[in-house]
């Protein structure tokens, strides 16, 4: 009997398909593993593959759905409260990153059945998270989107870079037990559930542009993790058997096209952020030069510029300073901005 993956395994008496991972053939070592000198992945390691492909327990669906729903609840409430700590907690609880890593591995192995199963799992889980956030937001107070929400609506190329790096760490950590501690860090670094919750919340609020931005962040993280996982498995010598090469090539091309489609909006957002940063730097320099041209304000240091407000540092106490109000008027007259002083004392 030939066995090339979970979909080729023999059926037990009860009729369900249970892969015998000890019989999975050792894929041919790829050129990548020779070039990069990475130790080949132990394909016949039952524990690693059972964990990665959700075969460790026969009844994993209900716990997976429960944990995903709870992480969606935590993230939605944390986003509503503008609490970064709560949102981070939701990232750790969320199990959505594992099937995305496994999806990349199944593409590298050319396992058609696993590709479809894992893609469906990710799709169903994503829709479920958005639905939970949508329903919870029905009873939450409607307010202007806060910092935690807005932070997940304008991804750029840096987010793709984070997802790629974290995906490499996550994929490597799954089959190298000495690096298993990185998985919680990967979950925090790459947000999957929070942007889906933002999308659900913003759809309920009918803020469709913000929902679109949040979905772009999720798709960016999904693509980055899948690509990184595929590369790690391929470079580690996990190459599809000859009769499965077409599924490997098809899956790889589809993943690459999906990732390339994200580059244009990510690059556009990155250019906008860079332009805003340059404008802020120029504005800071102009204000600093204006202050230095006046002897009365030469020793004033600009700490920050937010909107039309300046935060300025003085090297003396602000209490009972008769010159403070006159100094404030000079600064505001020269810059056209509201001035607020803080003291080094």
């Amino acid at each position: 009997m030939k066995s090339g993956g979970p979909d080729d395994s023999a059926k037990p008496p009860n009729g369900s398909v249970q892969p015998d991972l000890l019989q999975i053939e050792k894929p041919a070592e790829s050129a990548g593993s020779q070039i990069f000198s990475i130790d080949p992945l132990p394909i016949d390691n039952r524990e690693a593959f059972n964990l990665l492909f959700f075969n460790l327990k026969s009844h994993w669906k209900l716990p997976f759905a429960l944990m995903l729903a709870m992480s969606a609840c935590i993230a939605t409430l944390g986003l509503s409260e503008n609490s970064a700590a709560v949102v981070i907690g939701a990232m750790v609880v969320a199990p959505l990153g594992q099937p995305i890593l496994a999806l990349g591995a199944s593409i590298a192995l050319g396992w058609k059945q696993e590709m479809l199963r894992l893609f469906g799992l990710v799709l169903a889980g994503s829709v479920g998270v958005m639905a939970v956030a949508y329903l919870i937001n029905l009873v939450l107070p409607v307010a202007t989107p806060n910092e935690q929400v807005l932070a997940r609506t304008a991804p750029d190329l840096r987010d793709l870079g984070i997802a790629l790096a974290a995906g490499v760490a996550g994929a490597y950590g799954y089959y190298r037990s000495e690096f298993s501690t990185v998985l919680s860090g990967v979950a925090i670094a790459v947000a999957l559930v929070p942007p889906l919750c933002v999308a659900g919340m913003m759809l309920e609020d009918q803020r469709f542009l913000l929902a679109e931005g949040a979905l772009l962040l999720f798709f960016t993280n999904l693509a980055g993790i899948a690509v990184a996982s595929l590369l790690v498995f391929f470079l580690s010598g996990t190459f599809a058997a000859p009769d499965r090469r077409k599924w490997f090539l098809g899956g790889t091309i589809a993943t690459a096209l999906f990732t390339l489609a994200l580059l244009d909006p990510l690059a556009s957002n990155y250019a906008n952020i860079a332009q805003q940063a340059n404008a802020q730097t120029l504005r800071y320099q102009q204000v600093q030069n204006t202050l230095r041209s006046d002897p009365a304000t030469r020793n004033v240091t600009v700490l920050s510029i937010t909107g039309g407000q300046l935060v300025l540092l003085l090297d003396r106490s602000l209490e009972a300073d008769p010159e403070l109000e006159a100094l404030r008027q000079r600064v505001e007259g020269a810059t056209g901005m509201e001035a607020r002083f803080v003291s080094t004392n």
Side-chain angles (χ1 to χ4, degrees):
M1 179 186 71
K2 180 177 71 173
S3 60
D7 49 337
D8 282 342
S9 303
K11 293 184 179 180
N14 62 6
S16 61
V17 177
Q18 294 293 336
D20 186 354
L21 295 175
L22 293 179
Q23 295 182 10
I24 296 176
E25 77 267 12
K26 182 76 171 181
E29 188 177 77
S30 67
S33 63
Q34 298 174 357
I35 295 174
F36 292 91
S37 299
I38 300 176
D39 293 337
L41 170 69
I43 288 297
D44 57 354
N45 186 306
R46 178 186 294 271
E47 181 180 359
F49 262 57
N50 271 337
L51 179 63
L52 186 62
F53 287 101
F54 295 91
N55 294 317
L56 193 59
K57 295 181 179 179
S58 57
H59 305 290
W60 58 266
K61 295 180 182 179
L62 181 58
F64 178 86
L66 178 62
M67 294 296 288
L68 194 58
M70 292 303 98
S71 66
C73 291
I74 296 170
T76 302
L77 296 174
L79 289 165
S80 178
E81 292 182 348
N82 197 30
S83 173
V86 175
V87 175
I88 291 173
M91 296 179 192
V92 177
V93 173
L96 198 55
Q98 182 177 339
I100 299 176
L101 286 169
L103 177 61
S106 65
I107 293 173
L109 289 163
W111 288 350
K112 173 188 173 184
Q113 182 174 323
E114 289 299 302
M115 282 188 225
L116 297 177
R117 182 171 75 101
L118 291 164
F119 178 78
L121 180 61
V122 172
L123 180 62
S126 303
V127 173
V129 169
M130 291 178 61
V132 170
Y134 186 99
L135 294 174
I136 293 177
N137 204 58
L138 287 172
V139 299
L140 293 176
V142 177
T144 301
N146 55 47
E147 294 178 1
Q148 288 298 316
V149 170
L150 293 177
R152 292 167 175 84
T153 57
D156 57 64
L157 292 173
R158 295 171 297 180
D159 293 286
L160 181 59
I162 293 171
L164 287 169
V168 169
Y172 202 76
Y174 260 104
Y175 64 86
R176 294 298 180 194
S177 59
E178 64 269 29
F179 296 116
S180 60
T181 55
V182 307
L183 298 177
S184 59
V186 171
I188 295 173
V190 184
L192 293 167
V193 166
L196 288 172
C197 291
V198 170
M201 295 170 69
M202 293 301 99
L203 285 175
E204 194 279 325
D205 284 345
Q206 297 186 3
R207 303 177 190 269
F208 300 115
L209 288 178
L210 294 181
E212 181 181 346
L215 285 175
L216 176 60
L217 176 57
F218 170 74
F219 290 138
T220 298
N221 290 336
L222 186 155
I225 294 174
V227 168
S229 178
L230 194 163
L231 288 174
V232 166
F233 275 78
F234 176 77
L235 295 178
S236 298
T238 307
F239 196 67
D243 60 335
R244 298 179 178 275
R245 297 287 168 82
K246 65 177 182 179
W247 293 108
F248 162 73
L249 292 175
T252 301
I253 292 172
T255 304
L257 291 176
F258 178 74
T259 305
L260 290 174
L262 300 174
L263 292 181
D264 183 60
L266 294 177
S268 178
N269 287 345
Y270 185 83
N272 291 336
I273 292 173
Q275 185 178 8
Q276 293 173 7
N278 292 335
Q280 184 75 350
T281 300
L282 180 61
R283 192 180 186 190
Y284 177 91
Q285 292 173 346
Q286 290 173 341
V287 170
Q288 191 69 59
N289 292 335
T290 299
L291 296 177
R292 288 175 179 172
S293 64
D294 187 338
T297 60
R298 187 170 296 167
N299 294 327
V300 176
T301 303
V302 179
L303 292 181
S304 67
I305 303 175
T306 305
Q309 185 181 74
L310 288 172
V311 179
L312 307 169
L313 178 67
L314 287 180
D315 57 357
R316 59 182 183 271
S317 175
L318 302 180
E319 298 179 1
D321 188 344
E323 300 179 359
L324 183 60
E325 187 59 32
L327 182 60
R328 187 194 310 277
Q329 293 178 3
R330 293 174 72 94
V331 170
E332 292 179 350
T335 63
M337 303 180 190
E338 179 186 354
R340 184 169 67 88
F341 293 96
V342 296
S343 174
T344 56
N345 299 328

